[in-house]
Amino acid sequence: MEISRSSENTWLDVSAPVHSGMQHWPGEPEVLIDRIADMGKGNVANVSVLSMSAHTGTHMDAPRHFFKEGKDISLVPFEVLIGPALLIEVKNPQRVDLSDLMDYDLRPESRVLLKTANSEKEWFNMDFSKSYTGLSASAAKYLAERKVRLVGIDFLSIGTYEEDEEVHRVLLGSGIWIIEGLYLKGIPEGIYDMICLPLRLIGSDGAPARAVLRKI
Ligand SMILES: [Zn+2]
């Protein structure tokens, strides 16, 4: 995917392109975009049918993902999805640790996007590996203490493989909405206007989303 370099007033697409056979979380089915009617084969229109997890490519997690009675993704407020976001470039390739976040002024209600080593490669076109860069549980607790409203990261899951469940429970249990599967290559650290709109899937634990940034 080509991302244009930032220039003022230009919206940058930070969503992973969704296509058949792209990387998915282990245990979830293959992503399939199947053209069931094809003009090339004499049909009057092209029609595609989608088969994928709600946690495919760039997507959001709702509290329902880890809490039985938690809010579903259709209930995420627009106030969370639209507004300024701080993009932090994390140098630590192992994980996003507490020490990687301490120097930033993280205010209540803020939106935080974490750009990690994952974005150096087109991760969505690769096979799954447990060695992706994720958030540590201690860093997740710190974000919850700071009362941020939204956290985004550039991989299919937000927590490290080892602490993934705990990280989700800490964030979602604190009312923090999560964006996963961003692609942030070429986007420098800074403050951006953000729009991220997940599909209005009733009752769902998550939904695919389109996310765009614009330098403020
Ligand atoms: Zn998740």
mmCIF file of all heavy atoms in Angstrom, residues 147-173:
data_model
loop_
_atom_site.group_PDB
_atom_site.id
_atom_site.type_symbol
_atom_site.label_atom_id
_atom_site.label_comp_id
_atom_site.label_asym_id
_atom_site.label_seq_id
_atom_site.Cartn_x
_atom_site.Cartn_y
_atom_site.Cartn_z
ATOM 1 N N LYS A 147 -6.578 7.526 32.181
ATOM 2 C CA LYS A 147 -7.972 7.681 31.722
ATOM 3 C C LYS A 147 -8.080 8.103 30.255
ATOM 4 O O LYS A 147 -8.920 8.928 29.883
ATOM 5 C CB LYS A 147 -8.724 8.683 32.605
ATOM 6 C CG LYS A 147 -8.828 8.252 34.068
ATOM 7 C CD LYS A 147 -9.787 9.156 34.796
ATOM 8 C CE LYS A 147 -9.960 8.874 36.281
ATOM 9 N NZ LYS A 147 -9.645 7.560 36.782
ATOM 10 N N VAL A 148 -7.175 7.575 29.415
ATOM 11 C CA VAL A 148 -7.309 7.860 27.985
ATOM 12 C C VAL A 148 -8.600 7.196 27.484
ATOM 13 O O VAL A 148 -9.147 6.287 28.116
ATOM 14 C CB VAL A 148 -6.083 7.379 27.174
ATOM 15 C CG1 VAL A 148 -4.795 7.946 27.751
ATOM 16 C CG2 VAL A 148 -6.017 5.875 27.116
ATOM 17 N N ARG A 149 -9.084 7.653 26.362
ATOM 18 C CA ARG A 149 -10.392 7.194 25.879
ATOM 19 C C ARG A 149 -10.267 6.133 24.796
ATOM 20 O O ARG A 149 -11.152 5.307 24.598
ATOM 21 C CB ARG A 149 -11.140 8.423 25.327
ATOM 22 C CG ARG A 149 -12.610 8.237 25.142
ATOM 23 C CD ARG A 149 -13.338 8.393 26.463
ATOM 24 N NE ARG A 149 -14.672 7.805 26.469
ATOM 25 C CZ ARG A 149 -15.760 8.389 25.974
ATOM 26 N NH1 ARG A 149 -15.678 9.566 25.421
ATOM 27 N NH2 ARG A 149 -16.937 7.783 26.046
ATOM 28 N N LEU A 150 -9.150 6.188 24.075
ATOM 29 C CA LEU A 150 -8.973 5.284 22.939
ATOM 30 C C LEU A 150 -7.484 4.990 22.769
ATOM 31 O O LEU A 150 -6.649 5.881 22.933
ATOM 32 C CB LEU A 150 -9.534 5.937 21.667
ATOM 33 C CG LEU A 150 -9.260 5.201 20.351
ATOM 34 C CD1 LEU A 150 -10.507 5.201 19.489
ATOM 35 C CD2 LEU A 150 -8.102 5.812 19.572
ATOM 36 N N VAL A 151 -7.157 3.744 22.460
ATOM 37 C CA VAL A 151 -5.775 3.362 22.160
ATOM 38 C C VAL A 151 -5.780 2.577 20.855
ATOM 39 O O VAL A 151 -6.596 1.661 20.670
ATOM 40 C CB VAL A 151 -5.159 2.488 23.269
ATOM 41 C CG1 VAL A 151 -3.701 2.165 22.935
ATOM 42 C CG2 VAL A 151 -5.233 3.168 24.618
ATOM 43 N N GLY A 152 -4.860 2.931 19.960
ATOM 44 C CA GLY A 152 -4.734 2.203 18.702
ATOM 45 C C GLY A 152 -3.338 1.638 18.555
ATOM 46 O O GLY A 152 -2.371 2.181 19.104
ATOM 47 N N ILE A 153 -3.228 0.540 17.822
ATOM 48 C CA ILE A 153 -1.917 -0.058 17.576
ATOM 49 C C ILE A 153 -1.888 -0.660 16.175
ATOM 50 O O ILE A 153 -2.945 -0.897 15.564
ATOM 51 C CB ILE A 153 -1.566 -1.109 18.652
ATOM 52 C CG1 ILE A 153 -0.051 -1.376 18.676
ATOM 53 C CG2 ILE A 153 -2.373 -2.400 18.429
ATOM 54 C CD1 ILE A 153 0.444 -2.025 19.955
ATOM 55 N N ASP A 154 -0.676 -0.924 15.705
ATOM 56 C CA ASP A 154 -0.479 -1.374 14.322
ATOM 57 C C ASP A 154 -0.290 -2.886 14.201
ATOM 58 O O ASP A 154 0.601 -3.338 13.491
ATOM 59 C CB ASP A 154 0.697 -0.614 13.692
ATOM 60 C CG ASP A 154 1.955 -0.665 14.550
ATOM 61 O OD1 ASP A 154 1.933 -1.311 15.623
ATOM 62 O OD2 ASP A 154 2.966 -0.051 14.153
ATOM 63 N N PHE A 155 -1.141 -3.625 14.888
ATOM 64 C CA PHE A 155 -1.170 -5.080 14.675
ATOM 65 C C PHE A 155 -2.555 -5.613 15.028
ATOM 66 O O PHE A 155 -3.358 -4.920 15.645
ATOM 67 C CB PHE A 155 -0.082 -5.810 15.474
ATOM 68 C CG PHE A 155 0.100 -7.230 15.007
ATOM 69 C CD1 PHE A 155 0.604 -7.494 13.739
ATOM 70 C CD2 PHE A 155 -0.309 -8.290 15.792
ATOM 71 C CE1 PHE A 155 0.718 -8.794 13.277
ATOM 72 C CE2 PHE A 155 -0.191 -9.596 15.331
ATOM 73 C CZ PHE A 155 0.323 -9.850 14.074
ATOM 74 N N LEU A 156 -2.801 -6.860 14.656
ATOM 75 C CA LEU A 156 -4.118 -7.484 14.823
ATOM 76 C C LEU A 156 -4.592 -7.546 16.260
ATOM 77 O O LEU A 156 -5.789 -7.655 16.524
ATOM 78 C CB LEU A 156 -4.094 -8.914 14.254
ATOM 79 C CG LEU A 156 -4.115 -9.008 12.739
ATOM 80 C CD1 LEU A 156 -3.922 -10.462 12.317
ATOM 81 C CD2 LEU A 156 -5.436 -8.462 12.194
ATOM 82 N N SER A 157 -3.641 -7.522 17.199
ATOM 83 C CA SER A 157 -4.043 -7.495 18.594
ATOM 84 C C SER A 157 -3.204 -6.468 19.334
ATOM 85 O O SER A 157 -2.075 -6.174 18.948
ATOM 86 C CB SER A 157 -3.878 -8.863 19.234
ATOM 87 O OG SER A 157 -4.568 -8.860 20.476
ATOM 88 N N ILE A 158 -3.765 -5.928 20.412
ATOM 89 C CA ILE A 158 -3.071 -4.814 21.076
ATOM 90 C C ILE A 158 -2.028 -5.273 22.082
ATOM 91 O O ILE A 158 -0.996 -4.642 22.239
ATOM 92 C CB ILE A 158 -4.082 -3.837 21.712
ATOM 93 C CG1 ILE A 158 -3.370 -2.589 22.220
ATOM 94 C CG2 ILE A 158 -4.876 -4.504 22.832
ATOM 95 C CD1 ILE A 158 -4.160 -1.346 22.183
ATOM 96 N N GLY A 159 -2.288 -6.385 22.763
ATOM 97 C CA GLY A 159 -1.353 -6.851 23.778
ATOM 98 C C GLY A 159 -0.260 -7.709 23.173
ATOM 99 O O GLY A 159 -0.415 -8.266 22.084
ATOM 100 N N THR A 160 0.845 -7.844 23.888
ATOM 101 C CA THR A 160 1.854 -8.819 23.466
ATOM 102 C C THR A 160 1.191 -10.198 23.466
ATOM 103 O O THR A 160 0.181 -10.417 24.142
ATOM 104 C CB THR A 160 3.037 -8.860 24.457
ATOM 105 O OG1 THR A 160 2.540 -9.237 25.744
ATOM 106 C CG2 THR A 160 3.733 -7.513 24.540
ATOM 107 N N TYR A 161 1.747 -11.123 22.751
ATOM 108 C CA TYR A 161 1.135 -12.449 22.658
ATOM 109 C C TYR A 161 0.974 -13.057 24.051
ATOM 110 O O TYR A 161 -0.038 -13.676 24.355
ATOM 111 C CB TYR A 161 1.983 -13.366 21.764
ATOM 112 C CG TYR A 161 1.269 -14.646 21.413
ATOM 113 C CD1 TYR A 161 0.259 -14.654 20.445
ATOM 114 C CD2 TYR A 161 1.569 -15.835 22.062
ATOM 115 C CE1 TYR A 161 -0.421 -15.812 20.133
ATOM 116 C CE2 TYR A 161 0.897 -17.003 21.744
ATOM 117 C CZ TYR A 161 -0.101 -16.983 20.783
ATOM 118 O OH TYR A 161 -0.789 -18.133 20.471
ATOM 119 N N GLU A 162 1.960 -12.817 24.911
ATOM 120 C CA GLU A 162 1.960 -13.406 26.253
ATOM 121 C C GLU A 162 0.919 -12.757 27.164
ATOM 122 O O GLU A 162 0.353 -13.417 28.027
ATOM 123 C CB GLU A 162 3.344 -13.269 26.894
ATOM 124 C CG GLU A 162 4.448 -14.064 26.202
ATOM 125 C CD GLU A 162 4.869 -13.479 24.839
ATOM 126 O OE1 GLU A 162 4.693 -12.258 24.629
ATOM 127 O OE2 GLU A 162 5.348 -14.249 23.984
ATOM 128 N N GLU A 163 0.702 -11.452 27.013
ATOM 129 C CA GLU A 163 -0.179 -10.735 27.953
ATOM 130 C C GLU A 163 -1.444 -10.220 27.269
ATOM 131 O O GLU A 163 -2.106 -9.313 27.772
ATOM 132 C CB GLU A 163 0.584 -9.558 28.576
ATOM 133 C CG GLU A 163 1.764 -10.005 29.436
ATOM 134 C CD GLU A 163 2.397 -8.846 30.209
ATOM 135 O OE1 GLU A 163 2.719 -7.810 29.598
ATOM 136 O OE2 GLU A 163 2.564 -9.002 31.421
ATOM 137 N N ASP A 164 -1.781 -10.811 26.132
ATOM 138 C CA ASP A 164 -2.865 -10.285 25.307
ATOM 139 C C ASP A 164 -4.201 -10.212 26.056
ATOM 140 O O ASP A 164 -4.904 -9.199 26.006
ATOM 141 C CB ASP A 164 -2.998 -11.162 24.061
ATOM 142 C CG ASP A 164 -3.839 -10.496 23.008
ATOM 143 O OD1 ASP A 164 -3.631 -9.295 22.769
ATOM 144 O OD2 ASP A 164 -4.717 -11.160 22.448
ATOM 145 N N GLU A 165 -4.546 -11.288 26.762
ATOM 146 C CA GLU A 165 -5.837 -11.311 27.451
ATOM 147 C C GLU A 165 -5.883 -10.245 28.547
ATOM 148 O O GLU A 165 -6.848 -9.477 28.649
ATOM 149 C CB GLU A 165 -6.087 -12.698 28.060
ATOM 150 C CG GLU A 165 -7.425 -12.754 28.769
ATOM 151 C CD GLU A 165 -7.677 -14.095 29.440
ATOM 152 O OE1 GLU A 165 -6.980 -15.078 29.120
ATOM 153 O OE2 GLU A 165 -8.576 -14.146 30.294
ATOM 154 N N GLU A 166 -4.826 -10.175 29.345
ATOM 155 C CA GLU A 166 -4.808 -9.199 30.443
ATOM 156 C C GLU A 166 -4.884 -7.771 29.906
ATOM 157 O O GLU A 166 -5.609 -6.922 30.448
ATOM 158 C CB GLU A 166 -3.544 -9.393 31.296
ATOM 159 C CG GLU A 166 -3.564 -8.502 32.528
ATOM 160 C CD GLU A 166 -2.343 -8.673 33.414
ATOM 161 O OE1 GLU A 166 -1.457 -9.474 33.083
ATOM 162 O OE2 GLU A 166 -2.298 -7.972 34.449
ATOM 163 N N VAL A 167 -4.141 -7.497 28.843
ATOM 164 C CA VAL A 167 -4.141 -6.145 28.268
ATOM 165 C C VAL A 167 -5.555 -5.767 27.804
ATOM 166 O O VAL A 167 -6.049 -4.662 28.078
ATOM 167 C CB VAL A 167 -3.131 -6.046 27.102
ATOM 168 C CG1 VAL A 167 -3.327 -4.763 26.300
ATOM 169 C CG2 VAL A 167 -1.704 -6.129 27.642
ATOM 170 N N HIS A 168 -6.238 -6.684 27.131
ATOM 171 C CA HIS A 168 -7.615 -6.414 26.703
ATOM 172 C C HIS A 168 -8.523 -6.160 27.908
ATOM 173 O O HIS A 168 -9.353 -5.242 27.899
ATOM 174 C CB HIS A 168 -8.171 -7.589 25.894
ATOM 175 C CG HIS A 168 -7.785 -7.566 24.452
ATOM 176 N ND1 HIS A 168 -6.644 -8.158 23.973
ATOM 177 C CD2 HIS A 168 -8.398 -7.032 23.371
ATOM 178 C CE1 HIS A 168 -6.578 -7.980 22.658
ATOM 179 N NE2 HIS A 168 -7.626 -7.306 22.262
ATOM 180 N N ARG A 169 -8.387 -6.988 28.947
ATOM 181 C CA ARG A 169 -9.264 -6.841 30.116
ATOM 182 C C ARG A 169 -9.039 -5.509 30.820
ATOM 183 O O ARG A 169 -9.983 -4.846 31.242
ATOM 184 C CB ARG A 169 -9.054 -7.997 31.090
ATOM 185 C CG ARG A 169 -9.654 -9.289 30.583
ATOM 186 C CD ARG A 169 -9.647 -10.385 31.632
ATOM 187 N NE ARG A 169 -10.305 -11.560 31.100
ATOM 188 C CZ ARG A 169 -11.624 -11.693 31.005
ATOM 189 N NH1 ARG A 169 -12.425 -10.732 31.446
ATOM 190 N NH2 ARG A 169 -12.141 -12.778 30.484
ATOM 191 N N VAL A 170 -7.767 -5.111 30.925
ATOM 192 C CA VAL A 170 -7.450 -3.840 31.578
ATOM 193 C C VAL A 170 -8.051 -2.678 30.787
ATOM 194 O O VAL A 170 -8.734 -1.808 31.339
ATOM 195 C CB VAL A 170 -5.919 -3.661 31.718
ATOM 196 C CG1 VAL A 170 -5.570 -2.234 32.094
ATOM 197 C CG2 VAL A 170 -5.363 -4.648 32.736
ATOM 198 N N LEU A 171 -7.813 -2.662 29.479
ATOM 199 C CA LEU A 171 -8.264 -1.525 28.658
ATOM 200 C C LEU A 171 -9.788 -1.505 28.535
ATOM 201 O O LEU A 171 -10.437 -0.507 28.855
ATOM 202 C CB LEU A 171 -7.615 -1.571 27.272
ATOM 203 C CG LEU A 171 -6.084 -1.432 27.225
ATOM 204 C CD1 LEU A 171 -5.588 -1.563 25.794
ATOM 205 C CD2 LEU A 171 -5.615 -0.104 27.813
ATOM 206 N N LEU A 172 -10.353 -2.604 28.078
ATOM 207 C CA LEU A 172 -11.800 -2.633 27.835
ATOM 208 C C LEU A 172 -12.571 -2.492 29.150
ATOM 209 O O LEU A 172 -13.642 -1.888 29.198
ATOM 210 C CB LEU A 172 -12.192 -3.926 27.114
ATOM 211 C CG LEU A 172 -11.597 -4.088 25.701
ATOM 212 C CD1 LEU A 172 -11.874 -5.485 25.155
ATOM 213 C CD2 LEU A 172 -12.147 -3.024 24.747
ATOM 214 N N GLY A 173 -12.000 -3.029 30.233
ATOM 215 C CA GLY A 173 -12.649 -2.918 31.542
ATOM 216 C C GLY A 173 -12.584 -1.511 32.113
ATOM 217 O O GLY A 173 -13.294 -1.182 33.055
#
